[in-house]
Amino acid sequence: PYRDKFPGVRVRAEVVAGRPAAVLAERSSASSLVVVGSRGRGGVTGLLLGSVSQRLLHHASCPVAVVRSTKEE
């Protein structure tokens, strides 16, 4: 639904095999932005990033947006 709502934003979806952080970091060199979710674990989920988010923040070649759900699970 967001592609219809924002037709000016180019999105490319791909399914690839490999470790998520490594694949996303590698692909980031050809990207303007990498957007990842972060569920968090444990009692202090709001303060922690997941392993994929953390690695991307250190190794991506473009900006990284870490997006969390606003809904309580």
Side-chain angles (χ1 to χ4, degrees):
Y2 288 103
R3 287 182 182 184
D4 293 334
K5 189 173 182 178
F6 301 101
V9 177
R10 195 174 104 204
V11 176
R12 184 179 71 204
E14 295 181 43
V15 177
V16 296
R19 298 179 67 131
V23 170
L24 289 168
E26 177 187 325
R27 302 277 176 132
S28 71
S29 63
S31 302
S32 300
L33 175 68
V34 175
V35 180
V36 293
S38 184
R39 293 180 297 193
R41 299 279 187 209
V44 288
T45 59
L47 302 175
L48 301 175
L49 293 176
S51 59
V52 173
S53 301
Q54 185 108 35
R55 181 168 175 162
L56 282 173
L57 289 174
H58 291 283
H59 298 287
S61 300
C62 67
V64 176
V66 180
V67 181
R68 292 182 169 274
S69 172
T70 57
K71 297 177 185 176
E72 290 188 25
E73 295 183 39

